[in-house]
Amino acid sequence: MSAFAPYAADPDRSRGRLHAERISTFRSPFQRDRDRIIHSSAFRRLKHKTQVFIEHEGDYYRTRLTHSIEVAQVARTLATALGLNTDLAEAIALAHDLGHTPFGHTGEDALAALMEPYAGFDHNAQALRIVTRLERHYAEFDGLNLTWETLEGIAKHNGPLMGADGAPLKGALPLALTEYNALHDLDLHTHASAEAQVAAIADDVAYNHHDLHDGLRSGLFDEDDLMQLPITGPAFAEVDALYPGLERMRRRHEALRRVFGTMVEDVIAVARHRLEAAEPADADAVRDLGVTIIRFSDRLFRELKVIRQFLFTRMYRAPRVVAMRAEVTDVVHDLFTLYLRSPGHLPGEWREDVAAARDEAALARIVADYVAGMTDRFALQEHARLLGSDAARFTRYMVSGRE
């Protein structure tokens, strides 16, 4: 008897890979996807890619790599509790941030503005581009040749991208999506699998938790501030009642792990109720429900919005964070402009692509691929080397967790 629910993704019924491969004798297709993602160059670079800027006070803040590992852990917990395929949920979770630029959302905003004349830039689409094209290690294909189910989850874990009529739901589709979808239809008009929805909500759980933790460590706010907020206030109050006089760091940890548990338990309870009510017969029935089945309760969602607004004001838009955003925006702008004007500065392995570029838009896409793939510290080093900036002034800062 299968341990999976009927609506879980079945690896034996996968829609396969763009390039047919021999089935592994000891790994399921989704396990193989997970392993390829972990061994990819883009995944390793997440170690030195970061998210929300805070002043450098140590090595404890989350990077995109540690964030991705945390998301994968939450996704496995949720998938196990709901009878879903944990390997697929984990693979999507590990891949969800591969397309992020250096300097977090600040870097993405800068690159999106620069690429606006050339069909734009989107980190989810860039993740798909990385795993289908830019990772070039295998003899028989570009990319990682992941299964349809993993690619679908990367592309639309946040919901459908097209309406039933084939029209985009939120402006023009990113180029990477339209190019790959023409080769391998990802059903962009439907919701994703339950496993992909689990990966998406796991991302929310992880960053809501660790942004609070990193914000406290940075000194941008303190425990007294969190005592005034929903979810966090009751968590601290419970810890204080159970452990009066607890040492500060232990108190903080105990409170925030209760916040974490509240989010996970809420998602499981809501998802179980919605799945029992919908009774989807299989994985495709989840896709065709027309609603997100894995989500927070309305009450918790409202409370999390209060916390997110607090973090936006006190952390993401703190004066020292805003100042650093301006500086690194200039770094991305300067590097992109230099490479577009003088592509000879790109490394040798990129020159074949440059030579094949048909026009300026194609060249800009190559430059965007290169800049987006940079780590924070490499971007700063290259900016200093090529443009003579003082990279040392950036070393007093570090970037921390968000999405």
Side-chain angles (χ1 to χ4, degrees):
M1 180 177 175
S2 172
F4 294 141
Y7 42 78
D10 184 348
D12 293 331
R13 299 177 63 188
S14 169
R15 299 194 198 183
R17 306 177 189 274
L18 181 62
H19 304 281
E21 295 186 58
R22 180 179 59 83
I23 301 298
S24 172
T25 57
F26 53 90
R27 290 179 297 172
S28 77
F30 303 148
Q31 290 172 336
R32 204 174 190 182
D33 284 357
R34 176 201 60 207
D35 296 348
R36 287 183 177 183
I37 291 163
I38 290 173
H39 288 284
S40 68
S41 298
F43 187 75
R44 290 194 297 275
R45 287 197 299 272
L46 295 180
K47 177 182 179 182
H48 294 295
K49 289 193 177 191
T50 42
Q51 293 165 295
V52 174
F53 292 103
I54 58 179
E55 193 170 281
H56 181 23
E57 296 174 341
D59 296 327
Y60 292 96
Y61 303 114
R62 271 71 171 188
T63 66
R64 286 209 182 277
L65 180 61
T66 59
H67 167 68
S68 296
I69 293 170
E70 290 181 31
V71 174
Q73 177 269 314
V74 178
R76 288 191 69 88
T77 297
L78 295 175
T80 299
L82 298 173
L84 301 174
N85 190 294
T86 55
D87 297 320
L88 177 58
E90 182 180 27
I92 297 167
L94 290 170
H96 85 283
D97 265 358
L98 291 180
H100 268 295
T101 65
F103 313 124
H105 287 277
T106 300
E108 179 176 7
D109 291 344
L111 199 52
L114 290 161
M115 285 295 294
E116 188 173 355
Y118 311 109
F121 179 88
D122 172 84
H123 76 266
N124 283 327
Q126 189 69 11
L128 187 71
R129 185 169 170 84
I130 287 168
V131 300
T132 61
R133 186 168 180 173
L134 298 181
E135 288 282 330
R136 296 173 180 173
H137 307 294
Y138 296 90
E140 297 182 354
F141 48 78
D142 287 340
L144 305 180
N145 199 33
L146 304 177
T147 61
W148 184 93
E149 290 77 10
T150 299
L151 295 175
E152 177 214 30
I154 294 171
K156 56 179 185 173
H157 57 271
N158 290 323
L161 300 170
M162 296 170 57
D165 59 357
L169 294 177
K170 297 179 181 178
L173 286 179
L175 183 65
L177 276 172
T178 57
E179 287 182 338
Y180 188 77
N181 200 60
L183 299 173
H184 198 188
D185 189 355
L186 297 177
D187 287 352
L188 299 181
H189 62 286
T190 69
H191 281 72
S193 65
E195 287 81 1
Q197 294 182 38
V198 157
I201 203 77
D203 186 24
D204 291 347
V205 170
Y207 74 66
N208 277 313
H209 172 254
H210 66 54
D211 282 7
L212 290 167
H213 196 280
D214 287 349
L216 285 170
R217 182 173 288 277
S218 74
L220 291 171
F221 49 82
D222 61 24
E223 289 85 351
D224 288 343
D225 293 316
L226 298 189
M227 289 287 289
Q228 311 307 313
L229 298 175
I231 308 176
T232 56
F236 276 99
E238 180 181 336
V239 172
D240 291 342
L242 290 171
Y243 309 105
L246 188 64
E247 183 266 324
R248 183 184 183 190
M249 296 301 288
R250 293 180 190 271
R251 177 177 181 252
R252 176 185 296 179
H253 178 79
E254 285 290 336
L256 292 186
R257 78 185 187 96
R258 283 165 171 74
V259 173
F260 184 90
T262 295
M263 290 187 286
V264 170
E265 291 166 9
D266 182 85
V267 171
I268 291 171
V270 170
R272 282 177 173 167
H273 175 74
R274 291 167 69 84
L275 287 165
E276 288 172 4
E279 296 184 326
D282 54 25
D284 281 338
V286 172
R287 295 183 174 96
D288 293 335
L289 285 173
V291 295
T292 300
I293 202 85
I294 313 295
R295 49 164 293 177
F296 294 116
S297 66
D298 290 342
R299 177 191 60 79
L300 194 71
F301 182 76
R302 287 193 299 270
E303 293 178 342
L304 287 172
K305 283 182 69 175
V306 175
I307 292 175
R308 298 309 295 171
Q309 184 57 49
F310 169 84
L311 289 171
F312 183 87
T313 303
R314 297 292 297 273
M315 187 174 179
Y316 312 142
R317 291 298 181 267
R320 71 191 193 210
V321 174
V322 171
M324 194 57 186
R325 283 171 58 92
E327 291 196 49
V328 297
T329 294
D330 288 343
V331 170
V332 173
H333 180 275
D334 293 346
L335 288 173
F336 180 90
T337 302
L338 174 65
Y339 293 131
L340 186 61
R341 184 178 67 243
S342 304
H345 287 296
L346 293 169
E349 59 266 30
W350 289 79
R351 289 174 190 166
E352 185 175 338
D353 289 338
V354 169
R358 303 177 308 277
D359 50 31
E360 185 173 88
L363 177 59
R365 184 62 53 183
I366 293 166
V367 171
D369 289 338
Y370 182 62
V371 173
M374 290 179 165
T375 63
D376 296 14
R377 66 182 186 179
F378 182 67
L380 296 176
Q381 290 166 359
E382 287 299 278
H383 192 266
R385 183 178 71 85
L386 295 170
L387 294 155
S389 64
D390 178 14
R393 75 182 189 274
F394 293 98
T395 62
R396 67 187 184 276
Y397 291 97
M398 183 178 176
V399 200
S400 179
R402 164 73 172 93
E403 213 170 340

